[in-house]
C-alpha cells in the first residue's frame, strides 16, 4: 500500500471509531438512566439501624452503617433533594422517615461530624418547612453537643478522639463543613455562641491548615494546653505532603460557606486561592473529575474521586455567585456534563439507592475504592439544585 492510501485508511478507521463512540453515547439516554436511578430510592425500605453508605459493584452489596457513622445524614439528604428536584411526595415521606432515625445523634459528643449527620438531614428538611420547631430544636441541641468539643486555647473544635498516642488535639479540614450547622443554630436560636465558635474555628484553620501553594493539609495536630501546632500530617491522603482531592474540596466548600455567614473577605480569598490550586493543577484530568489524590504517583492509573468533584462543583456554584467569575460556573457545568454519561451513571440493573460510580472513600485503608458513595450523590444533587436556582 502506498503512503497516501495508508494514511487515508488510518483516517477512515479513526473516523469510524469516533462515530461509533458518538452513536453509543447517543443511544445512552442520560435522562432516562437518571430517572431509573432516582426510582431505586423509592424501592428501598427504611431501616433505622442501617444507612446505605456505599455500594460494592464487585460483591453486588450495599455497605450499611449505623446512625453514628459520619455519613448517615447524607441518605436522608439525598431523599430531601430528590423531593426538591421531582416534587414527588414519596421522596418527602421517605426523607422524613430516614431523618427521624438520626435524632439520637444530637447527644453524641464523641465526634465532630455532627454537621454532616444532622445538618445534611434535618437542615435539608427545614428548607421545606421553615417553621418545623422539632427540627430546629434538634439542630440546636446538636450544636450544643458539638460546642463541647471546642477548646478556647486552641481556638478549634476537636475532630477525632482516636490515635491518642500520636495526636493530642487533631483538627481535620473536613471539620469546616460542620460550621454551617453552627452558623444556622445562631440564626435559629439568636444564641451567638455557636457563630462565635464557628468563626474562631475558621480563623484557626485559616492560619494553620494551608500550604504556600494554597493546598491544604488534612490533619493539623495541636497541643491542647498551649494551642501550638504539633504536627501537620495526613490520614486519608497519599502522604503528609500530598494534596488529597476531597480535602481540597472541603476547604473550598467550607470557606465559601463561611463567607456566606460572615462576609469576611479573607474566607473568600482562601476559597479562591485553593480553588485556583485545584483548577490549575497539572494532574486534574480534562473531564474535570480529579484523581483521589493529586499526588498519587500511579496517576494516570490512580482511581478518580467523583465525590471530590461534586463537593467542588457545588461549592463553585456558590463561589461564582460571590465572585461572578465564570470559570467556577463553567467547571460546575462541566462536572454535571461529565457525570451524566454512561461512564458515571450507575447501571439501571443495579438495585441499590445510588446514582454515580467512581468515588473513592479511604484509599490508605483500601476501603471504598472506585465505588458509588452516598456523599458523591449528595453533592451532585446539591450542584443540580444550586445550578437550577441561579
Ligand atoms: N470526612 C471524611 C471524608 O471525607 O472521608
Amino acid at each position: 500500500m502506498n503512503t497516501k492510501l495508508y494514511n487515508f485508511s488510518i483516517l477512515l478507521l479513526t473516523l469510524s471509531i469516533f462515530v461509533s463512540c458518538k452513536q453509543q453515547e447517543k443511544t445512552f439516554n442520560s435522562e432516562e438512566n437518571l430517572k431509573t436511578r432516582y426510582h431505586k430510592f423509592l424501592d428501598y425500605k427504611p431501616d433505622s439501624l442501617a444507612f446505605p453508605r456505599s455500594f460494592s459493584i464487585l460483591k453486588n452489596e450495599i455497605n450499611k452503617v449505623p446512625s453514628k457513622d459520619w455519613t448517615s445524614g447524607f441518605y436522608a439528604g439525598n431523599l430531601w433533594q430528590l423531593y426538591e428536584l421531582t416534587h414527588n411526595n414519596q421522596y418527602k415521606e421517605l426523607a422524613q422517615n430516614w431523618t427521624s432515625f438520626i435524632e439520637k445523634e444530637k447527644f453524641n459528643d464523641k465526634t465532630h461530624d455532627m454537621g454532616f449527620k444532622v445538618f445534611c438531614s434535618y437542615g435539608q428538611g427545614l428548607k421545606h418547612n421553615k417553621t418545623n420547631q422539632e427540627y430546629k430544636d434538634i439542630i440546636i441541641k446538636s450544636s450544643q453537643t458539638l460546642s463541647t468539643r471546642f477548646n478556647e486555647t486552641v481556638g478549634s473544635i476537636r475532630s477525632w478522639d482516636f490515635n491518642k498516642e500520636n495526636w493530642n488535639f487533631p483538627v481535620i479540614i473536613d471539620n469546616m463543613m460542620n460550621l454551617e450547622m453552627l452558623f444556622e443554630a445562631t440564626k435559629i436560636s439568636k444564641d451567638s455562641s455557636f457563630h462565635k465558635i464557628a468563626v474562631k474555628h475558621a480563623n484557626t484553620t485559616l492560619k494553620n491548615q494551608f500550604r504556600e501553594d494554597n493546598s491544604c493539609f488534612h490533619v493539623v495536630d495541636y497541643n491542647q494546653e498551649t494551642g501550638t501546632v504539633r504536627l501537620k500530617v495526613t490520614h486519608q491522603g497519599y502522604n503528609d505532603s500530598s494534596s488529597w482531592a476531597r480535602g481540597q474540596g472541603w476547604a473550598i466548600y467550607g470557606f465559601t460557606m463561611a463567607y456566606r455567614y460572615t462576609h469576611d473577605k479573607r474566607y473568600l480569598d482562601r476559597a479562591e486561592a485553593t480553588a485556583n490550586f485545584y483548577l490549575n493543577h497539572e494532574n486534574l484530568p480534562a473531564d474535570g473529575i480529579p484523581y483521589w489524590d493529586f499526588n498519587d504517583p500511579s496517576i494516570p492509573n490512580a482511581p478518580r474521586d467523583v465525590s471530590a468533584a461534586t463537593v467542588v462543583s457545588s461549592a463553585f456554584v456558590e463561589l461564582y455567585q460571590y465572585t461572578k467569575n465564570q470559570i467556577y460556573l463553567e467547571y460546575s457545568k462541566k462536572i454535571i456534563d461529565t457525570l451524566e454519561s454512561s461512564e458515571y451513571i450507575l447501571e439501571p440493573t443495579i438495585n441499590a439507592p445510588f446514582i454515580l460510580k467512581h468515588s473513592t472513600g479511604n484509599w490508605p485503608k483500601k476501603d471504598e475504592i472506585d465505588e458509588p458513595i452516598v456523599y458523591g450523590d449528595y453533592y451532585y444533587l446539591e450542584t443540580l439544585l444550586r445550578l437550577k436556582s441561579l
Side-chain angles (χ1 to χ4, degrees), residues 227-288:
T228 53
V229 173
R230 295 180 67 240
L231 300 165
K232 296 187 179 190
V233 291
T234 196
H235 187 62
Q236 276 168 261
Y238 185 79
N239 62 30
D240 293 344
S241 56
S242 74
S243 298
W244 175 46
R246 196 164 57 253
Q248 310 314 305
W250 295 141
I252 297 165
Y253 192 119
F255 278 98
T256 306
M257 172 272 295
Y259 176 77
R260 187 198 313 154
Y261 292 98
T262 59
H263 300 290
D264 185 333
K265 177 78 170 40
R266 292 173 310 153
Y267 296 169
L268 193 61
D269 292 346
R270 180 69 272 158
E272 283 217 271
T274 304
N276 290 332
F277 166 86
Y278 179 101
L279 283 176
N280 298 322
H281 201 288
E282 59 179 4
N283 285 341
L284 183 68
D287 69 2

